Amino acid sequence: MSTIFGDSSSTTAKNPVIVNAPRSGERPNLGAESDMAIRSRVGVMRHGDSNIDVNSWSSGLDPLFARIAGRFGRAEPRRQARSYLTGLLAPIARKNGWQLAEAAGDTTPDRMQRLLNTAKWDVDGVRDEVRAYVAERIGDVGATLAVAEVIFPKKGTKSAGVHWWRGGKEPARQAQVGLFLAYASATGSALIDRELHLPPQWTQDPRRCSEAGVPMSVRYRSKAAQAASMIERAVMAGLPVSWVLADETYAAALEFADLLTATGLNHVLTVRPEHMLTLSAGRRRVGAIAEAVPETAFVRLPDDGDQEWAVLELRFPDGRPGRWLLLNRHRDEVIHHLCAAPPGTTLAELVRVARSRETVQACLARACEGAGLHQYQVRRYHAWYRHATLSMLAYAYAYAAHNASKSHAAVVDCLTFVAGSW
């Protein structure tokens, strides 16, 4: 699944737009509240309504920041990181260097830029704390890990990893591609890992890499290999999870298939109609298998609108059971999913996992609009990771605060942070 967050004449993206939205063509589900209610509360917050005490959620950051404080070697970057995190959660329209600096009381963005570019701190350690924090708040053994790509349009050629990107019918544009691992459970969703994709034209150009701060040890890795590494880190850390959700970019990659085999995770992978399968009956194209499914096999599930679903058990030469082709039909479009799970897994369970892509799209939208994930003004390789990690932490906290205080109007919940463009 790919998401584009809008273009800009500067290095900060404007007006985020979701593409490859839910397969039904609807916008991502942002929860039970209406768009009007969200916009209303955003306006109230911006105008300082006394019913919303910003200090209540700011002070709640203390225990969270205490757990990551040891990842910063000196007091200055530790204090600045706290200010950066608070700024990402603040009700300000733009969350780039200048605005975050102003929110922290700085006269220039120099300290914020130093935090992202040159200060010494353990960004991967903070990432690990984000993952642990998410597991404590919304962990569930039946949860899903979803791989998602975010396209950050950029001007110029200096930002690490920027290259000409084209997706579907979208026009070619200069962009960075960020890979994110989302964790979706019955009680919520959050981002727990991130990788910046460097295409071959970058890793094969040492001078260009040096100018963007890319370490000499970094070599080209496919998106599938980077995604596999993120999933492996989550599994090795003991994160409670049962499912993996990914699209065709990963379904066809050997390194990704090897990872799924090694971990034994159940999975739902979107594949193209031309994807080939070696079944007991021989080589078959997924589209041809789908075309042979009878009309009577398609059903509608409760609260699923006009979506129709069908599942067909697949038999492979190794004889292992528990593999299916899941079809999702909406009007004239059919989406194909290869699934693997224990025998007896129901259609409803497979559909639940497949539809968690909508939850992930909404999570990305909230992280960008509410925690400034897309609003960065950095070019260097490590700076991208630092901003992305702090943004992930800010969003995880906002979501946890929302879940913990739904009955307390004085605490700002994460939906408040969704921009009025929805």
Side-chain angles (χ1 to χ4, degrees):
M1 59 190 78
S2 296
T3 304
I4 298 179
F5 290 98
D7 207 345
S8 170
S9 58
S10 68
T11 54
T12 301
K14 298 178 182 178
N15 303 324
V17 177
I18 301 296
V19 298
N20 285 357
R23 294 295 188 176
S24 63
E26 300 172 354
R27 292 182 302 175
N29 178 11
L30 295 180
E33 295 179 277
S34 68
D35 288 353
M36 185 60 69
I38 293 172
R39 289 197 189 104
S40 174
R41 289 192 295 106
V42 169
V44 166
M45 184 174 174
R46 285 176 178 169
H47 287 87
D49 191 291
S50 58
N51 289 328
I52 294 181
D53 179 9
V54 174
N55 289 329
S56 64
W57 60 260
S58 180
S59 61
L61 283 171
D62 292 340
L64 172 61
F65 202 77
R67 70 187 296 165
I68 69 169
R71 304 295 184 173
F72 299 86
R74 297 173 56 246
E76 181 187 356
R78 187 161 58 245
R79 287 193 298 265
Q80 205 62 32
R82 170 63 188 261
S83 295
Y84 197 89
L85 197 63
T86 304
L88 289 174
L89 291 169
I92 53 179
R94 299 284 298 280
K95 297 177 181 179
N96 57 30
W98 274 103
Q99 278 68 34
L100 293 178
E102 290 176 357
D106 296 338
T107 56
T108 72
D110 292 351
R111 290 182 179 178
M112 294 299 185
Q113 292 296 328
R114 187 159 56 248
L115 172 72
L116 299 180
N117 286 291
T118 61
K120 293 183 178 181
W121 54 282
D122 182 5
V123 66
D124 286 342
V126 175
R127 174 206 61 201
D128 294 344
E129 295 291 355
V130 172
R131 182 178 57 229
Y133 180 78
V134 169
E136 291 170 8
R137 297 311 189 274
I138 62 172
D140 179 356
V141 70
T144 300
L145 291 175
V147 181
E149 295 180 18
V150 180
I151 312 304
F152 300 103
K154 292 291 177 181
K155 299 294 185 180
T157 61
K158 299 298 184 181
S159 298
V162 69
H163 62 283
W164 284 102
W165 176 90
R166 181 190 298 273
K169 297 180 180 179
E170 292 291 316
R173 64 184 71 191
Q174 292 273 60
Q176 290 173 303
V177 176
L179 306 182
F180 291 86
L181 189 65
Y183 183 82
S185 73
T187 52
S189 59
L191 305 177
I192 62 169
D193 210 338
R194 71 289 176 264
E195 290 285 355
L196 179 63
H197 183 66
L198 298 180
Q201 59 265 39
W202 268 86
T203 55
Q204 295 171 7
D205 189 340
R207 180 176 178 178
R208 192 180 189 191
C209 284
S210 177
E211 292 174 350
V214 180
M216 293 180 62
S217 60
V218 174
R219 298 290 183 265
Y220 172 73
R221 302 185 71 206
S222 68
K223 293 176 181 178
Q226 290 181 296
S229 293
M230 291 192 292
I231 294 172
E232 185 176 22
R233 284 195 289 264
V235 172
M236 293 297 291
L239 190 72
V241 63
S242 293
W243 293 89
V244 169
L245 177 67
D247 66 18
E248 54 267 21
T249 300
Y250 310 92
L254 181 60
E255 55 265 66
F256 199 76
D258 289 344
L259 181 280
L260 294 177
T261 299
T263 60
L265 289 171
N266 307 326
H267 54 267
V268 175
L269 308 178
T270 305
V271 294
R272 295 185 175 91
E274 58 268 24
H275 186 88
M276 297 297 297
L277 298 175
T278 302
L279 304 175
S280 298
R283 294 272 289 173
R284 297 288 188 274
R285 187 173 58 86
V286 165
I289 298 172
E291 290 168 2
V293 175
E295 183 69 24
T296 54
F298 284 89
V299 299
R300 293 186 180 182
L301 299 179
D303 302 319
D304 209 20
D306 55 357
Q307 302 272 342
E308 295 179 304
W309 301 86
V311 64
L312 174 69
E313 185 174 7
L314 300 174
R315 300 185 184 277
F316 288 84
D318 61 13
R320 287 192 297 114
R323 285 172 288 183
W324 299 274
L325 177 63
L326 176 67
L327 304 176
N328 173 210
R329 186 170 68 183
H330 180 250
R331 301 193 179 102
D332 296 329
E333 182 183 20
V334 177
I335 307 302
H336 310 76
H337 307 275
L338 288 182
C339 308
T345 300
T346 65
L347 171 64
E349 178 70 356
L350 296 176
V351 170
R352 179 191 68 80
V353 176
R355 296 212 65 171
S356 55
R357 66 177 290 120
E358 299 175 21
T359 302
V360 173
Q361 291 284 358
C363 174
L364 286 167
R366 290 169 177 157
C368 283
E369 295 294 351
L373 180 62
H374 70 301
Q375 294 181 349
Y376 56 89
Q377 289 181 312
V378 296
R379 290 178 173 175
R380 296 179 68 81
Y381 182 79
H382 285 306
W384 184 92
Y385 278 89
R386 291 178 170 193
H387 168 79
T389 303
L390 291 174
S391 178
M392 286 162 43
L393 180 62
Y395 176 75
Y397 168 75
Y399 203 100
H402 164 65
N403 281 353
S405 57
K406 289 179 180 178
S407 62
H408 301 285
V411 178
V412 180
D413 67 61
C414 68
L415 292 182
T416 301
F417 304 130
V418 178
S421 59
W422 285 101

